[in-house]
Amino acid sequence: MAEKVMKCGVKKEKGYLYYLDKNGNIARSKMARGGNKGGGAQVLQKCGIKRQEGYLYFIDKDGDVSRAKMARGRK
């Protein structure tokens, strides 16, 4: 269902949330666990991806940027 937008090959570490930031770059933030605070976003790779409306963009298991069509208007 998802299609690859760009191959990046980012290696994921446990305890971090990986996402596409508002500038279209791959970023990560430390996840909050128990009493430990999260946050502290770091840009890992500059991609400059332009988002299209109606798609959900994410970092897949291979560390690449992928997108999937969002389900809207179901009854």
Side-chain angles (χ1 to χ4, degrees), residues 13-61:
E13 290 181 41
K14 217 171 191 177
Y16 287 94
L17 176 69
Y18 292 83
Y19 58 94
L20 215 58
D21 67 6
K22 65 181 178 183
N23 298 321
N25 303 320
I26 296 177
R28 76 176 186 176
S29 296
K30 191 141 180 75
M31 287 192 278
R33 291 283 185 248
N36 300 331
K37 296 268 185 189
Q42 302 174 300
V43 174
L44 297 178
Q45 191 167 0
K46 293 188 183 262
C47 300
I49 291 174
K50 304 285 185 217
R51 295 177 191 236
Q52 272 189 325
E53 201 170 313
Y55 286 93
L56 173 71
Y57 289 81
F58 61 96
I59 312 304
D60 64 13
K61 64 181 179 182

